[in-house]
Amino acid sequence: MTNILISGASIAGTTTAYWLKRHGFDVTVVERAPAIREGGYKVDIRGAALQVVERMGIMDAVRARSTDMRIATHYDARGRKVATMDAALFGGRTGDDVEIMRGDLNELLYDLTRHDVEYVFGDSVTGIAEDGTVAFERSAPRRFDLVVGADGAHSTTRRIAFGEESRYARDLGHYISICTVPNKLGLDREEAVHAAPGRTANVYSTRQDTSAKALFMWSSEPLAYDHRDIDAQKDLLVKAMRGVEWEVPALLESVRDAADFYFDSVTQIHMDHWSKGRVVLVGDAAYCASPASGQGTSLALVGAYVLAGELAKGGGAAGYEREMRPFVEANQALGPANVKGMVIGSRAALWFQLKMIKLLPHLPGRDRMIDRIAGPIHRAANAISLRKYSE
Ligand SMILES: Cc1cc2nc3c(=O)[nH]c(=O)nc-3n(C[C@H](O)[C@H](O)[C@H](O)COP(=O)(O)OP(=O)(O)OC[C@H]3O[C@@H](n4cnc5c(N)ncnc54)[C@H](O)[C@@H]3O)c2cc1C
């Protein structure tokens, strides 16, 4: 097997391309967007994923582009500061963990591979025949030995090879929306948070960002909407946030003008197998842990490394599944647990959470408390020993 197609040029796709190429495969990547997708939100690289980045030789570049966030501040409905928290602890980062804008990471990964890998932008797989012939929306059909689906939580490759998304999607009972807004709060490497029962608003601005990102999360039954109708999705967000005070009404005004509006349910993907015939899935396409886990990027990086390594050493898709399954399960388990702390259901629970944040620096059992916040994610992020696959 030498000739591999990857669908999707984000974190999982570019990283798989890098490692496959390094192991001597011929790699083509098809990406639906017209170019590498810039911008986005901040993501974390933790634990084993740091080793993957290190082995790719881009750790210094990643650190140079880290968000450099300093602090997270909680505000009440009237805009008074209620509690502050160190940004790393707020983000569940410990030790060498690094936070970076997804677009910055993607650009670094793309730059690392662009000269050795064939990238086809503005196209999508539409069919995969048993003999490996792949049909595309625009390009002529081509034959590949293997197709890697790295096309995200709503993967087209998965739908073609494994069937409808609803068979694998596990709804965590929340929605998330994020977009760029003007930095009217004058945030400098800072997050500002306001929580109301069942609804949380968060605005942040990272290093070198003159604008800000507004992120909203709320608990909700599944919503019916047209995935292409952005205005209708903005209406749903406005409706969900109605009555939330602080800066939220002004933020929602800005959301109306946002060109990069993101809206989705907080959903995980659970599959018994990640490969079938000539198709194998990696990253969110195979095991989306949801933004609530904070581990989607690390799962994509580690999954790409292991998949390429197992293919190179002859372990194949079975070896990939065996190595990855416990790691994936540990990280997916974070999603349902974390989401409860991100969107708090009642006023009493909110009051308690803020009280704890305020008292944290002064509590005698401070280290134990910090471990309760950052410990689970740290342990899950390290729940795999990465093999050294020879090149
Ligand atoms: C709002 C939000 C906040 C998040 N916060 C964090 C965080 O704090 N920490 C963290 O670690 N992770 C976070 N994540 C998750 C993280 O972004 C993903 O888990 C990670 O990017 C997974 O990468 P991926 O390459 O598998 O999928 P994606 O990044 O979704 O990439 C899929 C790629 O495939 C392309 N594509 C889609 N369909 C097709 C097609 N038919 N043909 C060709 N190409 C296609 C897309 O354009 C895209 O480039 C967050 C996600 C969201 C949505």
Side-chain angles (χ1 to χ4, degrees):
M1 183 203 306
T2 55
N3 187 19
I4 300 182
L5 175 71
I6 299 172
S7 171
S10 180
I11 312 302
T14 50
T15 308
T16 308
Y18 171 85
W19 284 106
L20 284 175
K21 191 73 209 171
R22 205 160 136 176
H23 291 305
F25 295 95
D26 284 335
V27 185
T28 302
V29 182
V30 59
E31 163 61 49
R32 184 156 59 188
I36 279 291
R37 294 172 68 181
E38 293 174 351
Y41 34 82
K42 50 193 180 58
V43 297
D44 299 301
I45 306 173
R46 299 187 179 86
L50 290 167
Q51 291 174 46
V52 174
V53 170
E54 188 77 60
R55 290 178 194 183
M56 295 171 86
I58 54 168
M59 185 52 97
D60 288 347
V62 165
R63 291 208 184 281
R65 293 209 195 182
S66 77
T67 58
D68 203 22
M69 297 296 284
R70 296 177 300 120
I71 198 165
T73 307
H74 291 257
Y75 292 89
D76 71 8
R78 287 160 58 191
R80 291 174 302 196
K81 264 187 199 178
V82 188
T84 55
M85 205 172 175
D86 174 69
L89 185 57
F90 180 76
R93 285 181 299 284
T94 51
D96 289 338
D97 296 352
V98 53
E99 186 179 60
I100 183 169
M101 294 306 276
R102 188 175 89 151
D104 287 346
L105 177 60
N106 212 13
E107 201 179 298
L108 286 172
L109 294 167
Y110 174 60
D111 280 348
L112 203 59
T113 49
R114 62 195 300 178
H115 300 299
D116 305 318
V117 166
E118 179 194 5
Y119 278 91
V120 179
F121 288 100
D123 208 348
S124 169
V125 169
T126 55
I128 305 163
E130 263 178 38
D131 72 347
T133 304
V134 177
F136 297 93
E137 257 168 33
R138 298 174 53 177
S139 309
R142 280 167 70 176
R143 232 205 111 266
F144 294 93
D145 298 315
L146 184 75
V147 178
V148 177
D151 39 9
H154 305 296
S155 167
T156 300
T157 310
R158 188 185 58 228
R159 184 175 45 71
I160 291 170
F162 297 85
E164 287 307 317
E165 185 172 317
S166 55
R167 292 169 59 183
Y168 310 106
R170 196 174 293 175
D171 179 10
L172 299 190
H174 292 75
Y175 277 78
I176 186 165
S177 181
I178 185 163
C179 64
T180 302
V181 294
N183 188 5
K184 287 188 183 151
L185 299 180
L187 300 169
D188 172 20
R189 295 165 294 148
E190 180 180 356
E191 317 219 10
V193 188
H194 172 64
R199 295 170 292 176
T200 300
N202 175 335
V203 198
Y204 63 82
S205 189
T206 59
R207 168 164 59 177
Q208 290 161 356
D209 193 352
T210 49
S211 56
K213 304 276 181 247
L215 186 152
F216 305 91
M217 244 177 121
W218 64 101
S219 33
S220 168
E221 295 295 315
L223 300 169
Y225 61 94
D226 179 347
H227 291 266
R228 285 153 305 181
D229 189 344
I230 302 296
D231 285 336
Q233 292 167 32
K234 288 182 178 176
D235 288 343
L236 286 171
L237 166 65
V238 169
K239 192 170 159 207
M241 288 289 143
R242 193 163 290 149
V244 182
E245 297 176 80
W246 180 57
E247 297 289 336
V248 169
L251 286 169
L252 292 173
E253 282 300 313
S254 302
V255 165
R256 290 280 176 205
D257 301 325
D260 60 348
F261 185 75
Y262 172 87
F263 183 98
D264 207 349
S265 61
V266 179
T267 295
Q268 295 189 327
I269 296 295
H270 290 260
M271 304 180 77
D272 291 338
H273 295 287
W274 303 317
S275 70
K276 195 174 180 187
R278 289 180 186 270
V279 177
V280 59
L281 304 175
V282 65
D284 276 8
Y287 31 75
C288 177
S290 86
S293 76
Q295 275 293 91
T297 302
S298 293
L299 276 172
L301 288 164
V302 172
Y305 173 83
V306 174
L307 172 61
E310 289 294 328
L311 290 174
K313 96 171 202 326
Y320 162 60
E321 297 218 7
R322 195 183 52 245
E323 291 292 313
M324 281 298 286
R325 184 69 65 177
F327 182 61
V328 165
E329 283 173 3
N331 284 284
Q332 285 197 314
L334 297 167
N338 287 355
V339 84
K340 288 189 199 130
M342 294 164 96
V343 182
I344 310 268
S346 70
R347 278 201 192 285
L350 270 173
W351 179 87
F352 182 74
Q353 190 199 46
L354 287 174
K355 202 82 191 156
M356 291 315 288
I357 295 172
K358 250 181 173 166
L359 289 175
L360 191 61
H362 316 289
L363 289 175
R366 185 176 172 271
D367 289 348
R368 231 181 28 247
M369 293 291 295
I370 289 177
D371 186 62
R372 272 185 63 185
I373 300 171
I377 199 160
H378 176 74
R379 284 186 282 278
N382 286 285
I384 187 168
S385 301
L386 291 183
R387 287 168 184 267
K388 278 230 158 84
Y389 297 102
S390 56
E391 288 134 38

